[in-house]
Amino acid sequence: MENQILKLLAGDDYAPANVPELLHQLGWSRNRQQELQRELGRLELAGRIARIKGNRYILPQEADLIPGRIRMNRAGKGFLQPDDATIKEIAIPENATLTAMHEDLVLVRRDRPESKNTGTVIRVLKRHRSKIVGTLQKGSRFLYVVPDDPRIPHDIYVPEPRDVGRPAQIGDKVVVELHEWESRNANPEGEIIEVLGAPDEEGVDMLSVLRQYDLPLHFPKNVLAEARAIGSEVMPQELHGREDCRSHQVVTIDPDDAKDFDDAICLQRVSAEQWKLWVHIADVSHYVKPGTALDVEAAKRGNSTYLVDRVIPMLPEALSNELCSLKPNVDRLTKCVEFLVSRDGRVLAAKFYPAVIHSQRRFTYREVLEVLQRKPANDIEQMLHDANELAQRIRRLRFKAGSLELDFPESKIRLDEAGRIIRIDRVENDISHQLIEEFMLLANEAVATRLMDLNVQAIYRVHEQPDERRLREYREDVLSHHIPCGNLSRPGEAQKLLQKLGTLPIGQALKIGFLKSLMRARYDINPLGHYGLAKKKYTHFTSPIRRYADLVVHRALFQKDPRAGKSLKEIAEHISGTERNSADAERDSKDVKLFAFLNAQLASGKPQCYPALVTDLRNFGFFVDVTGLAMSGLVPLSTMEDDFYIYDEQRNHLIGRRTRRMIRLGDKLEVQVAKVDTSKKQVDFRLAVKAADASRTPFRPHQQPRRQQFPVSSGRQRPQPDRRRRR
């Protein structure tokens, strides 16, 4: 039916028609009218067709309409990611978003001329989210809810809550079911369906995040029953047709708190010039069959979500932490990529097969780093030394081919039993991480190459070329600092710039700017390549316990009938969305803990000092990246009491009128928290006050120039590179 309708609408002599006219043109009987209306509605929601004046239907492109997902920023501006991958991202001004919210499926009309690359939302096809979490407030005549998500600028009017299990108090966190919202000029309305509790009540902060991002706390009973029925150990009959690698020196290398071990490696010398490398990946596809309850639930979740205090797994723990996890001293089933690698790191051959392993040792990154910093004490430690040397050679070849160095140190928040922050650990991408990362990248590329050679339909990990306009703007910013910069659309030039930035004091700040100009990695059925890694053939194969994409790829490579239910295109779009949803939830879970942590510092009157990097300057203040907190924020000029600072736009620096002190991009400073706005998810900082300065009389000008205004500050989240878990 779908093909018939689309073929009719695409015909050269087709004129926009309504339902009765379409029924006639399709040659269908009148009793199929409701069936046709349902199909037209489905195609319209999917953005495949468009309904215009007079309830007539056409193909979207015929009316210059573009369907896609809209992403909103905190300023209210939207960015359309068109369904058609050949169309570049379209900017939607704040006053042209209609009632669209973050991640909604919308229909956009592109503005003329097209070179402006802007558009207007003319219809919201499908809401991404109908439930909103926020704080209950009371006006003079009505109740309303202030959304937790700062990308939703409108308060939601609600009636008195009824039958929600517990009474709602003003200031409580609540969940609102959104009603139809037709006009941007009127506030949306909704109904409270759940009262979560007071914001400072234990557990409410994380429960709010779980509800906001619709993350499940439990697996359905039929899913758990299927997982239990599989058993808890590898049975002898399951080894048929598998390579027996149980005698190999197989090891795993993971974070210290990991429980799901997706991957394991083994390395053996073949000759003075060649190595044999085995990359073993958990054989989830052996246990999770297409169309089963386990598969349906895994596809729905799309991936595991790593919140600051818990993991929301894609698979039940009986599989994710036990039978599929490549634990030491037990037999485990794997899918293996066996490489023959030259001494200098070039892949000479690769083959793919199911295997069984018996891991000999589970290493943490810290333990591997300790081994690599001393002489090896046994055969396994010698293998790690050899693996490190080979991985570094592979890494050098990757960068020589144009791969970009986009790694930043990460921060790991450690909580006590009450859910409060006790410390924040800095996690460096050191050689222990690089050892395993390079081998996983090698396997992902080899599998993508194999799938393309076989002409098998699959899902690929793609990272498209950056938008030329954003790159031009970024290049102009770099040149304004008198730093040589070539054509950044060429990966080689971008690589040269990043290497140069690594040697400059201002470099890290500008490197963050480059990250912001890049597209977001996603999944697609077309092998569009990976810009950041400079790979033309790339997919996700190495984490099937926590990513559904990898499970689909395993099936495509090893099974004759890998699909069940949805098309691969639908799956790719869905899991790209679940990945974004999880990334937002992970960020917010850290934020709520950090905001509570910083509010406690303010309440104590003894805020801590943190090293910070100046990343942007404005006439109202400057933005800093506070690596010790893994967050960014604004230092408003209104908090600078030592002098009156003026912004020099030409030189892009702030200068004190009396002291002549300059604050420039890339400067390293010490800051303390000054203000936390939990509702807007913003943190303001101030320069740290040292003991020697505390007794000095602050500089307070009698009158500040009228042009020196201090708008509401805005925090910024640093974009995270596509690290091992998402690469």
Side-chain angles (χ1 to χ4, degrees), residues 461-646:
R461 182 63 167 179
V462 303
H463 185 217
E464 292 147 293
Q465 291 273 344
D467 180 74
E468 290 182 10
R469 175 184 55 83
R470 290 189 181 184
L471 278 186
R472 281 197 305 271
E473 291 173 357
Y474 174 71
R475 182 174 182 271
E476 289 168 6
D477 187 26
V478 172
L479 290 172
S480 71
H481 296 285
H482 310 290
I483 298 171
C485 186
N487 182 357
L488 295 178
S489 62
R490 300 173 183 167
E493 291 297 322
Q495 189 184 56
K496 285 180 187 176
L497 175 64
L498 291 172
Q499 289 172 349
K500 178 70 175 175
L501 294 180
T503 67
L504 302 173
I506 199 176
Q508 191 177 2
L510 288 174
K511 193 175 177 181
I512 291 170
F514 180 72
L515 275 176
K516 291 176 181 177
S517 71
L518 299 182
M519 300 289 281
R520 193 167 190 163
R522 62 184 181 87
Y523 296 104
D524 200 285
I525 58 172
N526 300 304
L528 304 175
H530 198 294
Y531 171 82
L533 295 172
K535 293 185 182 296
K536 293 181 180 179
K537 303 172 182 179
Y538 194 69
T539 191
H540 268 171
F541 173 78
T542 55
S543 295
I545 290 177
R546 52 181 178 246
R547 292 189 306 226
Y548 193 75
D550 304 55
L551 177 55
V552 171
V553 168
H554 279 227
R555 291 170 177 167
L557 186 61
F558 290 98
Q559 296 177 11
K560 291 181 180 179
D561 185 21
R563 281 180 287 170
K566 292 184 178 179
S567 71
L568 285 181
K569 186 175 187 298
E570 289 177 298
I571 292 172
E573 291 172 353
H574 170 69
I575 61 180
S576 293
T578 60
E579 181 187 51
R580 291 191 299 270
N581 189 67
S582 292
D584 287 348
E586 289 166 14
R587 182 202 64 221
D588 278 8
S589 76
K590 291 178 180 178
D591 282 352
V592 295
K593 295 299 184 185
L594 282 167
F595 292 160
F597 177 64
L598 295 176
N599 269 323
Q601 286 190 30
L602 286 174
S604 72
K606 298 177 181 178
Q608 297 178 26
C609 295
Y610 297 97
L613 179 77
V614 178
T615 58
D616 196 7
L617 298 112
R618 303 292 176 88
N619 66 341
F620 52 83
F622 55 95
F623 292 95
V624 290
D625 190 59
V626 187
T627 52
L629 293 171
M631 69 189 313
S632 300
L634 176 73
V635 178
L637 293 186
S638 57
T639 66
M640 306 277 286
E641 297 186 339
D642 64 322
D643 203 345
F644 178 76
Y645 286 83
I646 298 171

Side-chain angles (χ1 to χ4, degrees), residues 211-225:
R211 293 290 189 270
Q212 175 68 29
Y213 293 98
D214 199 22
L215 296 171
L217 278 170
H218 308 287
F219 283 95
K221 289 182 180 179
N222 61 334
V223 174
L224 293 174

